[in-house]
Amino acid sequence: MAELTTTRLNAESHLPLDQALLRLPCELVRKNFKTSQRIVERDRDNVIGTLRATANGALAGDAAPQSIKALDSMIAKMQGLKRKLDGLHEEEKRIHKNSRKRIQHLQDLYDIPSLADVKYEEWSRVRLNRLLVDYLLRNGYGESAKALAAEKGIVELVDVDVFLHCHKIEQSLYEGRTQEALAWCNENKQALKKKLSNLEFELRLQQYIELVRSGRKDQLLEAIKHAQKFIAPHRDTHTAEVDKAMGLLAYPVETRIERYSEMYSASRWNYLARLFVTNHHELLSLPERPLLHIALSAGLSSLKTPSCHSAYASSSSNASSSTTSVCPICSTELNDLARNVPYAHHTKSYVENDPVVLPNGRVYGRDRLFQISSQIGVPPGQIKDPTTGELFEQSRIRKVYIS
């Protein structure tokens, strides 16, 4: 029964890491629907207005060729609308297909009864490949991520296009361009407004800064017009920033006044790029950190114990140890990586049979302790700590009682 409890697969515990797997398609479908709705409403208003004007003109006695030309224009607009909606429909079908694949991927986990099942190892490898693709995409290795996804057959389980689009806009900000980011803000205006995002304001402020930076009279006049249109309306919510922006007109790029020199600083572009990525991920319900980091941190934390980084631990860092640890955290590859990871919360403790404590406070199973000392040739009447190498009289050993 103990073995069954240990190896039983709890599928629910795997889902927190995979929430974005299903959330993102839902967000993409919602965005696709909003785009379709916006296009239909805009073209509908245009067509209805043209139709009304044409009908009134015909009643007023306008020439037939003029009315026919107006009708042809309306037909062309409707055909254009149909093409746009067809494209959006194909995109929605693709999203639904990916969603079905992802649901099936998670359902496969529920069909696996045990951690020892070979199917669980296969499922875990698919998940590991997903995490690697996610990590590559977040760090700008788009082509490598696409190649890995295609090679492992997990294209439907990863969101390559979403991250590539995000990286493209992020890179444009690092290069000092705001057009792509502002276009994205316009596409997601309502969603950003609900989240009280300041991304668009910061982008408009950066455009203003660049106009002021030139110092030319025509550009300064353009900066004032820009501020009146895009910055002044935010005075109630961004009072301090608006006041600083207005004061910037009086100071050149070389100013040493910190509140204005930091606005001219090139580091603002880095700030804007990070701000965009944060807003992008929040809008699409994507974790801010790579999923690989989250999984690795959880794994390291669950295995880490105080002895893993002890000076007396039986690890690769302790040459005097007479035992060999099989703990992954004590290995050379993971020991430093896990150093700053918090310890996991353990509700059960496991100790060896017939535990005894040595004078240095270390606890071992009595049988194992005597067996090791016998194997390494410890003099009769003495016992050796297998971890620290210290020798003690057997009479100084004390039995441990677990309460």
Side-chain angles (χ1 to χ4, degrees):
M1 178 63 71
E3 182 179 356
L4 179 63
T5 303
T6 303
T7 61
R8 181 184 300 157
L9 174 63
N10 181 9
E12 298 292 334
S13 65
H14 289 65
L15 295 184
L17 191 63
D18 292 314
Q19 291 182 27
L21 193 66
L22 296 181
R23 279 186 177 181
L24 183 56
C26 293
E27 294 294 336
L28 293 177
V29 168
R30 179 193 62 78
K31 181 181 177 181
N32 194 69
F33 172 75
K34 291 292 186 182
T35 302
S36 303
Q37 186 180 42
R38 186 170 62 251
I39 291 173
V40 169
E41 290 176 353
R42 184 189 63 199
D43 287 9
R44 179 200 61 190
D45 294 340
N46 290 338
V47 170
I48 289 176
T50 305
L51 182 61
R52 186 179 293 112
T54 303
N56 292 335
L59 291 174
D62 287 350
Q66 186 175 351
S67 298
I68 293 173
K69 183 178 180 181
L71 290 173
D72 288 341
S73 174
M74 284 187 287
I75 293 172
K77 288 180 179 179
M78 295 305 294
Q79 290 174 337
L81 173 61
K82 183 178 183 300
R83 284 193 297 271
K84 293 175 184 177
L85 293 179
D86 285 344
L88 291 169
H89 180 58
E90 290 299 319
E91 174 66 14
E92 186 167 344
K93 286 168 61 178
R94 186 187 67 80
I95 296 172
H96 286 311
K97 178 185 175 183
N98 291 351
S99 296
R100 284 193 292 271
K101 289 277 188 180
R102 297 175 184 207
I103 292 171
Q104 185 58 52
H105 172 65
L106 295 179
Q107 182 59 46
D108 291 342
L109 181 64
Y110 281 86
D111 296 336
I112 301 172
S114 168
L115 293 170
D117 196 310
V118 66
K119 291 183 178 179
Y120 178 70
E121 182 178 352
E122 295 172 358
W123 189 91
S124 298
R125 288 190 178 279
V126 173
R127 176 195 245 187
L128 176 59
N129 290 328
R130 288 199 298 103
L131 300 187
L132 290 172
V133 171
D134 175 83
Y135 179 81
L136 290 172
L137 288 170
R138 289 171 182 266
N139 286 274
Y141 301 104
E143 294 303 318
S144 298
K146 289 170 66 175
L148 179 59
E151 179 184 339
K152 300 299 182 180
I154 56 171
V155 175
E156 293 88 355
L157 302 180
V158 293
D159 302 289
V160 175
D161 293 339
V162 171
F163 279 102
L164 288 180
H165 183 59
C166 174
H167 181 67
K168 180 181 177 182
I169 297 176
E170 179 189 10
Q171 192 61 35
S172 71
L173 289 170
Y174 281 125
E175 294 172 358
R177 302 194 310 273
T178 58
Q179 293 84 352
E180 292 91 335
L182 283 170
W184 183 84
C185 288
N186 188 53
E187 291 176 6
N188 301 276
K189 185 180 289 290
Q190 293 303 319
L192 291 172
K193 186 176 181 180
K194 286 181 181 179
K195 291 184 176 293
L196 303 178
S197 170
N198 67 333
L199 176 60
E200 184 174 359
F201 171 78
E202 292 289 349
L203 292 170
R204 294 297 185 184
L205 178 59
Q206 188 63 39
Q207 286 184 321
Y208 169 81
I209 293 171
E210 297 306 314
L211 290 170
V212 176
R213 187 192 302 275
S214 69
R216 301 203 313 267
K217 184 177 180 180
D218 59 329
Q219 294 283 24
L220 291 176
L221 291 174
E222 183 66 27
I224 293 172
K225 293 178 181 178
H226 179 89
Q228 290 172 339
K229 183 177 181 180
F230 296 111
I231 297 178
H234 296 275
R235 187 175 186 86
D236 292 338
T237 54
H238 297 82
T239 305
E241 290 84 351
V242 172
D243 289 345
K244 282 174 63 177
M246 297 305 100
L248 194 67
L249 288 167
Y251 294 90
V253 178
E254 300 81 11
T255 181
R256 294 185 180 181
I257 299 178
E258 185 177 355
R259 61 184 277 122
Y260 298 113
S261 63
E262 66 183 12
M263 295 183 75
Y264 282 124
S265 173
S267 63
R268 262 191 61 85
W269 289 106
N270 299 335
Y271 162 71
L272 290 174
R274 293 193 300 270
L275 181 62
F276 163 74
V277 171
T278 299
N279 278 267
H280 176 273
H281 290 358
E282 286 182 358
L283 211 61
L284 296 179
S285 300
L286 291 169
E288 186 175 350
R289 296 171 59 199
L291 294 175
L292 184 64
H293 285 185
I294 298 173
L296 189 58
S297 298
L300 293 174
S301 182
S302 66
L303 296 171
K304 182 180 177 181
T305 64
S307 64
C308 291
H309 295 95
S310 168
Y312 302 106
S314 56
S315 66
S316 57
S317 60
N318 183 10
S320 65
S321 173
S322 57
T323 64
T324 302
S325 173
V326 294
C327 171
I329 307 301
C330 294
S331 67
T332 306
E333 295 82 4
L334 297 179
N335 195 259
D336 285 341
L337 193 61
R339 191 172 298 277
N340 296 319
V341 172
Y343 297 108
H345 174 64
H346 295 284
T347 57
K348 295 182 179 179
S349 297
Y350 298 90
V351 295
E352 299 179 67
N353 292 328
D354 194 13
V356 295
V357 60
L358 297 178
N360 62 2
R362 303 187 73 84
V363 178
Y364 300 94
R366 183 182 185 87
D367 293 341
R368 186 171 76 93
L369 187 62
F370 277 82
Q371 181 183 7
I372 292 174
S373 295
S374 174
Q375 290 174 348
I376 60 179
V378 175
Q382 292 187 321
I383 204 77
K384 184 176 182 179
D385 187 328
T387 301
T388 65
E390 296 174 273
L391 287 173
F392 302 100
E393 297 293 331
Q394 291 185 8
S395 59
R396 299 181 65 190
I397 296 175
R398 296 289 181 266
K399 185 175 177 59
V400 175
Y401 296 93
I402 307 297
S403 58

